[in-house]
Amino acid sequence: METSTVTNLLQSDALTNLFEVSFNVESIPSFRIRGFQPPKSGLKIEHIPYKGVTVPKIIPQQNLERVLEFEIRIDSNYSVYRSLRSIRSNWLSLGVSTDINPQSNSDLTITVKANSDSVSWQFFNAKLIELSLPPFEHENSKPIYAKATFIYGDYKES
Amino acid sequence: MNIPSSDIAELISWKPAYKNEFYAIIDDIPNTQFLVSSVSFAGSKLTLTRHNVSKLFTLDKFNRADDVTITWREDSGYSVRSLHQDWFKKFYNEKEDYYISHEGTPNVYKSMSVHLGNGLVLRLNNLLPTSIPDLQLSWSSPSITEYSLTYKVTTWEWKESKQ
């Protein structure tokens, strides 16, 4: 088989594992994220009856849940986890007393590229609302993935 | 039942009015498009009675469209509440305990434009408040503060939007 044939074959399909996630925070190291579900935006419909027929019409309600859920691989120094914790600390500081500041603004932007610059999603004003680690155990050894849930305000697909 | 296919084509292109397709702006109050979350404006009413002998209807009473009920969503600066407190001071002097006639008092009225779909605007002119919102705070409820308040409407009209 010629090399060019293999190259053409590789370039012919869009592949799910070529995506890249980045945050606009300089102190954050590159994240290794297990997967990404692009936002499923859609419109709702209402069925308008007229005599015996029913016609579906689009209603002014967008069916988009502005939530992102990531599973992020943690490094041996837990620096990724500490970085995530520092993002969350803008509106939640856990300690002896819990201080919540839900009204603080966020300029965190999450950019996800499907493959180089072909298709990308940008999530602006993102806030990390939930961060959790899996249970620790002595029985086996697996890389740790932290679960991070973000909410966001503006959203752009380009 | 025989429905012509042209009727179905018309029904597809027909535009219904949706309840959530609006925003309201009150003159001189910034960001009211975020603060006013619902508007309820009752229409004018006629009371008619059928005459016993002639069996025709006679007009008994005409009720003007006097009231508009607005649901306000409070912001973190409690600007809705402070707005109403300042507004009330133009009607009643609490310190000196006397009423102030709104006749001739400057800036006593506020007017509201309810922007609907298709460029239509319902203009409610010269609103007068009837109550200050109740302040209800609770540690057991993290929900957004909302008030439902009724105002007297002096006049109202339909307009085309300038947007």
Side-chain angles (χ1 to χ4, degrees):
Chain A
M1 192 181 283
E2 290 180 34
T3 318
S4 60
T5 313
V6 178
T7 312
N8 285 340
L9 189 62
L10 281 173
Q11 288 175 349
S12 62
D13 287 323
L15 300 170
T16 55
N17 63 347
L18 298 178
F19 72 101
E20 185 185 300
V21 182
S22 60
F23 294 70
N24 67 333
V25 183
E26 285 179 11
S27 62
I28 292 181
S30 63
F31 284 157
R32 289 172 294 171
I33 290 173
R34 182 177 267 173
F36 166 66
Q37 168 65 57
K40 288 183 261 184
S41 61
L43 291 166
K44 289 200 170 179
I45 55 166
E46 188 175 344
H47 296 279
I48 310 283
Y50 169 68
K51 296 187 180 175
V53 291
T54 303
V55 172
K57 291 187 91 77
I58 294 169
I59 62 169
Q61 188 179 348
Q62 203 181 18
N63 198 8
L64 170 66
E65 200 184 357
R66 289 169 190 265
V67 173
L68 284 175
E69 285 177 350
F70 287 131
E71 286 187 38
I72 302 170
R73 193 159 166 152
I74 304 298
D75 59 307
S76 59
N77 293 321
Y78 285 83
S79 58
V80 168
Y81 180 71
R82 280 184 279 129
S83 300
L84 288 168
R85 218 169 44 184
S86 73
I87 298 177
R88 190 184 58 179
S89 67
N90 289 331
W91 36 90
L92 174 69
S93 52
L94 294 167
V96 178
S97 65
T98 303
D99 199 7
I100 303 168
N101 183 16
Q103 303 204 18
S104 74
N105 289 323
S106 165
D107 55 1
L108 178 67
T109 301
I110 302 170
T111 306
V112 183
K113 289 180 180 176
N115 173 17
S116 68
D117 286 326
S118 50
V119 171
S120 65
W121 297 266
Q122 271 189 303
F123 307 95
F124 303 96
N125 321 113
K127 284 184 177 182
L128 176 57
I129 56 161
E130 200 171 300
L131 177 64
S132 65
L133 291 173
F136 290 91
E137 56 187 4
H138 286 301
E139 296 300 317
N140 52 41
S141 171
K142 287 184 292 190
I144 289 178
Y145 281 89
K147 278 189 182 172
T149 306
F150 293 87
I151 54 172
Y152 56 91
D154 205 358
Y155 153 61
K156 192 171 88 178
E157 186 171 342
S158 51
Chain B
M1 187 161 47
N2 188 13
I3 303 166
S5 60
S6 62
D7 268 17
I8 295 173
E10 288 286 320
L11 181 60
I12 289 165
S13 60
W14 171 73
K15 290 181 182 170
Y18 292 107
K19 286 184 176 183
N20 65 346
E21 228 178 16
F22 85 100
Y23 64 94
I25 291 181
I26 296 184
D27 298 353
D28 308 325
I29 306 173
N31 294 332
T32 31
Q33 70 270 34
F34 306 122
L35 300 174
V36 176
S37 65
S38 86
V39 174
S40 171
F41 182 45
S44 313
K45 287 178 183 63
L46 289 177
T47 309
L48 298 154
T49 313
R50 195 189 276 276
H51 194 272
N52 275 341
V53 179
S54 70
K55 308 299 181 196
L56 296 173
F57 283 105
T58 52
L59 184 61
D60 277 350
K61 199 177 172 186
F62 172 69
N63 280 24
R64 285 179 182 275
D66 280 345
D67 295 329
V68 60
T69 303
I70 301 172
T71 306
W72 291 89
R73 203 160 56 167
E74 188 64 279
D75 64 11
S76 61
Y78 283 85
S79 60
V80 175
R81 191 173 169 78
S82 65
L83 156 83
H84 284 85
Q85 280 174 342
D86 291 345
W87 201 356
F88 259 60
K89 283 177 188 164
K90 292 173 178 168
F91 298 93
Y92 178 66
N93 187 328
E94 210 169 4
K95 201 174 172 186
E96 310 277 336
D97 190 22
Y98 65 85
Y99 296 101
I100 305 164
S101 166
H102 66 76
E103 289 294 330
T105 314
N107 304 323
V108 74
Y109 297 112
K110 296 201 181 294
S111 294
M112 179 167 79
S113 300
V114 184
H115 293 253
L116 306 162
N118 235 358
L120 275 174
V121 179
L122 173 63
R123 179 87 180 154
L124 302 171
N125 298 315
N126 299 345
L127 302 181
L128 294 164
T130 58
S131 62
I132 283 183
D134 297 334
L135 186 63
Q136 288 178 324
L137 304 171
S138 167
W139 280 346
S140 63
S141 168
S143 61
I144 291 171
T145 301
E146 281 196 327
Y147 316 120
S148 186
L149 302 175
T150 302
Y151 303 81
K152 293 294 175 192
V153 182
T154 311
T155 58
W156 60 276
E157 59 194 320
W158 287 95
K159 279 185 169 183
E160 293 286 329
S161 170
K162 289 175 189 168
Q163 61 188 346

